[in-house]
Amino acid sequence: MKDPAALRVLHENRYHITPHIYVAPGRVNLIGEHTDYAEGFVMPAAIDFATLAAVSPRGDGQVVIYAENFGEERAYPANALPTKASGEWSDYPLGVLATLAGEGYTIPAMSLSLWGDVPLGSGLSSSAAVEVATATAVTGLMGLTIPGPKLARLCQRAENEFVGANCGIMDQFISANGAEDHALLLDCRDLSYRLAPIPADMALVIANTMVKHSVAGSGYTTRRAQAEEACAILATHRPEIRFLRDATVADLEAWGHEIPPNSLKRARHIITENVRTVAASEALLANDMPTVGRLMHEAHVSYSKDFEASCEEADTMVDLAQDLPGLIGARLTGGGFGGCTINVVQKEHAVEFAAALKERYQKATGITPEIHICHASAGAHSVS
Ligand code: GLA
């Protein structure tokens, strides 16, 4: 799949100069869904799918961006870069450049070639991988060292303010700061984090329902608005509740009757998910995999029933995994309404697990899923 040497050759053939190459991964979220924008906890891992960025300086004052996935090139004057999104793939790298420019950095003339294998629209953060790859490459070219958490925040702002998708910090953060063979528990309030090793005998099996997911879609935005409505009502009683991170199940018991029913359910998901996510990180640190699996299962039920962000196919994929040998835990991962399930599976069973799940899902839905046996990979880095 992604091959830095091939991208180097491609870039050299187009721009006649040897580039520096950087890589930024996609992610899978083990647990902690729709908690990031509520200043809560998430526990993602970076995965093998990634975006590669090749970058080299230019002498003609242009910023030239080439996307191998689309076979398309765009060129702009470095001192007059677009300030508005166009609805095209170029919004993601341009959003990063606009955000850096907004921070006072002068964007140099450059050639930037991008090539990724994170499946698009599958809830594995293809957008964050492009943003973080761009930011790492461009800051590398500029000779800047921006710490991972800050780089992630810049990329989130690119997506919020330039692309116009109202995402939280999780995807950009794990792409910038992931660690090989580890999950990362992130406190989205202060961006402090700790790494938890994924035991060597466990595989991350990612099962794509093939139902398209989009953070820009209305489902994500509606859920977020409902959660924020519930939070605002609770805050009228306890002003210290600034985000749902600050609320408890007891708050819902006391004042839930004032909250519209759907918003109440969204809040219950987020509040209980925060508790489950911290507990899952502790269980992972203690190598207590049965507890990790149970919490993942409870998280899926909450995501499906309270948050109502699953879909029939994802519920089917999770159900069909339950009695397969080697399964520790399965749930829908990412923004919801389609995309992939994450299955933590004992490594020795992973190949048969993947084959059996594929067959069962195909039989149940008529859809051929893509199933990948992954491992937790490193965050963004130079591969030159
Ligand atoms: C998408 C967003 C993230 C996060 C998840 C849901 O991936 O980009 O910020 O909100 O959905 O957990």
Side-chain angles (χ1 to χ4, degrees), residues 267-307:
R268 189 163 60 213
H269 164 74
I270 292 176
I271 292 169
T272 57
E273 185 83 342
N274 275 326
V275 176
R276 282 188 291 271
T277 303
V278 174
S281 79
E282 272 152 20
L284 191 56
L285 280 168
N287 200 1
D288 175 2
M289 295 312 287
T291 300
V292 173
R294 177 178 55 76
L295 290 164
M296 286 176 71
H297 185 70
E298 288 173 17
H300 182 76
V301 172
S302 171
Y303 204 30
S304 177
K305 300 278 183 283
D306 272 350
F307 213 69

Side-chain angles (χ1 to χ4, degrees), residues 335-357:
F337 310 100
C340 296
T341 66
I342 167 70
N343 303 266
V344 176
V345 178
Q346 287 165 340
K347 218 175 239 172
E348 53 173 327
H349 292 288
V351 171
E352 297 87 69
F353 176 93
L357 186 58

Side-chain angles (χ1 to χ4, degrees), residues 4-5 7-22 53-58 111 113 141 383-384:
L7 183 64
R8 178 172 297 116
V9 170
L10 187 157
H11 189 96
E12 281 170 353
N13 288 341
R14 290 188 76 87
Y15 303 114
H16 313 295
I17 180 168
T18 299
H20 280 280
I21 312 247
Y22 299 83
V55 71
S56 58
R58 291 178 73 93
S111 303
S113 304
L141 181 69
V383 287
S384 301

Side-chain angles (χ1 to χ4, degrees), residues 184-372:
L184 184 154
L185 177 77
L186 173 66
D187 181 340
C188 299
R189 169 149 282 169
D190 60 8
L191 301 191
S192 60
Y193 65 96
R194 72 179 182 210
L195 296 170
I198 296 177
D201 57 345
M202 294 292 152
L204 304 179
V205 181
I206 296 174
N208 194 338
T209 63
M210 311 308 277
V211 177
K212 284 280 175 212
H213 143 95
S214 154
V215 172
S218 64
Y220 186 93
T221 311
T222 316
R223 293 300 179 280
R224 183 168 175 166
Q226 289 167 332
E228 285 166 359
E229 178 186 40
C231 183
I233 294 170
L234 295 177
T236 62
H237 298 283
R238 279 214 302 126
E240 61 275 30
I241 300 179
R242 291 189 299 119
F243 289 88
L244 281 178
R245 151 70 176 278
D246 305 308
T248 63
V249 172
D251 292 323
L252 293 183
E253 279 160 8
W255 299 301
H257 59 277
E258 296 177 15
I259 301 175
N262 279 341
S263 300
L264 175 63
K265 286 163 74 177
R266 310 309 179 235
R268 189 163 60 213
H269 164 74
I270 292 176
I271 292 169
T272 57
E273 185 83 342
N274 275 326
V275 176
R276 282 188 291 271
T277 303
V278 174
S281 79
E282 272 152 20
L284 191 56
L285 280 168
N287 200 1
D288 175 2
M289 295 312 287
T291 300
V292 173
R294 177 178 55 76
L295 290 164
M296 286 176 71
H297 185 70
E298 288 173 17
H300 182 76
V301 172
S302 171
Y303 204 30
S304 177
K305 300 278 183 283
D306 272 350
F307 213 69
E308 295 181 284
S310 186
C311 60
E312 216 179 302
E313 293 84 353
D315 286 345
T316 300
M317 190 76 91
V318 167
D319 287 347
L320 293 176
Q322 292 310 315
D323 62 345
L324 288 177
L327 180 76
I328 299 295
R331 54 177 288 281
L332 173 60
T333 188
F337 310 100
C340 296
T341 66
I342 167 70
N343 303 266
V344 176
V345 178
Q346 287 165 340
K347 218 175 239 172
E348 53 173 327
H349 292 288
V351 171
E352 297 87 69
F353 176 93
L357 186 58
K358 181 173 181 177
E359 196 189 317
R360 285 182 172 190
Y361 184 77
Q362 213 159 2
K363 212 177 261 172
T365 63
I367 305 169
T368 305
E370 281 170 11
I371 304 200
H372 313 281

Side-chain angles (χ1 to χ4, degrees), residues 27 29 32-37 42 123 125 159 167-172 213 215 220 303 334-336:
R27 64 101 188 90
N29 189 19
E33 225 62 86
H34 282 256
T35 46
D36 59 353
Y37 54 73
V42 294
S125 297
E159 185 144 353
C167 65
I169 185 74
M170 169 168 71
D171 306 345
Q172 292 79 9
H213 143 95
V215 172
Y220 186 93
Y303 204 30

